[in-house]
Amino acid sequence: AQSVTQLDSQVPVFEEAPVELRCNYSSSVSVYLFWYVQYPNQGLQLLLKYLSGSTLVKGINGFEAEFNKSQTSFHLRKPSVHISDTAEYFCAVSDNSGYSTLTFGKGTMLLVSP
Amino acid sequence: DAMVIQNPRYQVTQFGKPVTLSCSQTLNHNVMYWYQQKSSQAPKLLFHYYDKDFNNEADTPDNFQSRRPNTSFCFLDIRSPGLGDAAMYLCATSRVSGYEQFFGPGTRLTVL
């Protein structure tokens, strides 16, 4: 079984500042990793995913994440945030067996202020 | 555009009155999921279908049932909604289990 820890429940940041949202996972097998964003009263939208290959993954809206196997981390970064990035961000993990489901972290609320 | 559609977006029901939420997809994905999400919490998986194979999470209450009559449609039935069932219900699909999931916009259920 896998587990995901998102260390920060809320991250306040000023517009145009850089941000990092932290995600650590636990698994005894190889994993797939995902970041999703959720705006109020909407479903989840995939930001980016790591399946294999390059450990630096680029996603939509200028976000990127780096898979670090030794530290079991998959932190999400953006060099300059906008007001419109205010949303809830979920990290998720699954194993690559083809039979597992996603395990979500508890989410991090990114609050961008002017 | 290929997508996951949920109807209705907002549903109000009375305590104990059965309600059905629907989900359809044009992605032709094999797997369909139902999640319950309460305020400021992560989505909680209720069950999923891999093709016609139904998989129920161990802690999903018996009050929740699901049907998948064909590849495109999946329904969530709540037989006797309680106040604690008020939540956002999210439908998602994926090509194979454990792969990236595509979410619908959700149905916000209010129980009076």
Side-chain angles (χ1 to χ4, degrees):
Chain A
Q2 298 84 39
S3 67
V4 178
T5 303
Q6 292 184 244
L7 295 166
D8 306 300
S9 59
Q10 251 186 31
V11 173
V13 65
F14 289 109
E15 193 174 20
E16 298 183 8
V19 71
E20 178 179 84
L21 305 184
R22 296 179 292 172
C23 172
N24 288 88
Y25 69 93
S26 173
S27 176
S28 58
V29 298
S30 296
V31 296
Y32 295 148
L33 292 156
F34 308 87
W35 275 100
Y36 285 87
V37 61
Q38 186 177 32
Y39 300 101
N41 283 315
Q42 293 188 27
L44 278 68
Q45 180 184 7
L46 182 70
L47 274 177
L48 47 79
K49 62 189 177 190
Y50 171 79
L51 305 178
S52 64
S54 173
T55 56
L56 183 62
V57 179
K58 294 191 182 297
I60 63 170
N61 300 342
F63 284 94
E64 64 179 33
E66 186 154 19
F67 171 57
N68 188 320
K69 189 174 181 179
S70 63
Q71 296 188 5
T72 61
S73 68
F74 191 55
H75 300 331
L76 182 70
R77 302 185 182 99
K78 186 169 182 178
S80 176
V81 295
H82 302 287
I83 297 285
S84 59
D85 292 323
T86 295
E88 188 87 30
Y89 291 79
F90 292 98
C91 181
V93 65
S94 71
D95 71 44
N96 57 8
S97 67
Y99 297 97
S100 80
T101 56
L102 291 185
T103 300
F104 285 92
K106 292 186 176 182
T108 297
M109 183 67 196
L110 176 63
L111 297 165
V112 183
S113 54
Chain B
D1 285 342
M3 55 175 49
V4 181
I5 302 161
Q6 290 188 246
N7 286 306
R9 292 293 314 278
Y10 299 90
Q11 176 74 57
V12 180
T13 190
Q14 292 182 335
F15 183 95
K17 185 175 180 180
V19 66
T20 294
L21 310 182
S22 72
C23 176
S24 64
Q25 56 136 337
T26 61
L27 296 160
N28 203 32
H29 282 169
N30 295 315
V31 193
M32 295 188 76
Y33 309 79
W34 279 107
Y35 290 89
Q36 179 191 65
Q37 186 181 28
K38 296 191 175 180
S39 184
S40 300
Q41 295 184 19
K44 177 181 180 297
L45 183 64
L46 295 173
F47 23 60
H48 71 283
Y49 278 92
Y50 199 127
D51 293 327
K52 293 185 177 180
D53 292 335
F54 178 70
N55 299 273
N56 197 31
E57 293 301 296
D59 57 353
T60 298
D62 292 340
N63 198 25
F64 291 84
Q65 304 285 321
S66 185
R67 297 169 282 138
R68 188 179 186 186
N70 54 52
T71 301
S72 301
F73 285 87
C74 196
F75 299 97
L76 170 61
D77 302 307
I78 309 176
R79 292 191 295 187
S80 182
L83 297 179
D85 297 326
M88 174 76 92
Y89 289 88
L90 296 166
C91 175
T93 73
S94 67
R95 188 169 54 82
V96 296
S97 192
Y99 214 61
E100 65 183 279
Q101 294 182 15
F102 294 81
F103 284 80
T107 294
R108 171 78 62 189
L109 178 68
T110 300
V111 182
L112 301 177

